[in-house]
Amino acid sequence: MSGTVSARSQVEAALERINDPSGEGARAFIHVSADAARARADEIDRWRAAGRALPAFAGIPLGIKDLFDVAGEVTRAGSRVLEDAPAAEHDAPAVARLRDAGFIIMGRTNMTEFAYSGVGLNPHYGTPLNPFDRTTGRIPGGSTSGGAVAVTDGMVAASLGTDTGGSCRIPAALTGIVGFKPTADRVPRGGAIPLSPSLDSVGPLAHSVACCAALDAILRGTEPPALPTLSLRDVRLLLPTTLVLDDMDQFVARAFERAVDDLARTGVVIRRQPLPEFGHIPEVNAKGGLAAAEAYAWHRERLERDSERYDPRVASRIIKGREQSDEDIRQVHQARRQLIESFAASTQGFDALLMPTVPTIAPPLAALALDADYARLNMLMLRNPSLGNFLDGCGISIPIHEPGAAPVGLMLIGRHGEDPHLLALAQAIERALARASA
């Protein structure tokens, strides 16, 4: 991601793409920090000309999801409810670390209101169209919708996102890039408006596994490492037959099975078998789960005061949290702990789980016009990636579609804290699949 091209030229190229009237910049970004980006770029170029040592990623354009505090800016979380809130006094820790690494913040990327949807629609600031098949007009995936579109369209090199139930991985899969969800406690979540503190995580979207790994290291406050080289002949993957293969469309099924076959030919051992824990998770979350309960706790007073300013589809999901008693929530936490322990035992001997990130390609926006269809497709997008959040693991989505075809993501899920191994494995798989398709 780094280079010797002037910071100002990189910023101007990014701004040209953002401001392209035929592109999606006006919907991918809620706010563009053009003047601040140019000033920072000029400062970096002066330092370079003076021979000053520069951070490793000096001058690289970056997008920040509108969920994070940036000093001097209002954090709207994709909503009108917070547009009159005071500006943040400090950068969120994740933002500060990226800034210290030399990245230039191009602006605040669009998102589903309060990060509570997997499809990426935003009635307040517009929905950025998926880069694939813009004539039809397809969803970008959510909730980090603008961040994914900004990366895919070359407006930024990478974007900072959050992932509570797939919000980095879903838009990455639907737009054809890489999205990484770390173990939740790996990256500080301070300075980011919460959706569900029990499930939230902070992760990057970029064009490659290596870029996501470098960003992950910066976000957790360490030096970006060189990922170790893994031999795929030593790898064992579990392909669950419970839930995650249901309702696949022909495009995802074809791309996914081709990738599975290609990996098997490299020597990867892939076992297809049931994973009962996956079947129990929907039952545990039947009343809305932790996301609804914790979101409602944060939004309760705001909903009473400003309900008309919310996206009705988001508000209706948050309000489901009102239906859960303290005992309901306690039982969900207890069941979660038990399922995490059971999952760890069931997956011993496997390097990771393998599955489609989402079971369909990006549907047209028109397919979500009715509330019932919106609800169905939203849950379908969230179904597979949210399993990793509930089990407090790590996950990554890698694009596996053929050039020109609808984007499809392959997802790997690792156990709690196994992020370094998952990233190294993802890079080995990324390279193997690239060779297979060459």
Side-chain angles (χ1 to χ4, degrees), residues 363-370 373-374 376-377:
L365 267 70
L368 287 82
L370 300 178
D373 292 331
Y374 172 92
R376 176 181 60 82
L377 288 169

Side-chain angles (χ1 to χ4, degrees), residues 409-422:
L410 177 149
M411 184 165 60
L412 300 168
I413 291 180
R415 290 172 290 266
H416 178 94
E418 295 185 357
D419 306 62
H421 182 66
L422 186 77

Side-chain angles (χ1 to χ4, degrees), residues 171-192:
L174 294 185
T175 61
I177 59 175
V178 179
F180 177 57
K181 172 245 176 302
T183 301
D185 60 7
R186 186 172 172 84
V187 176
R189 288 167 285 175

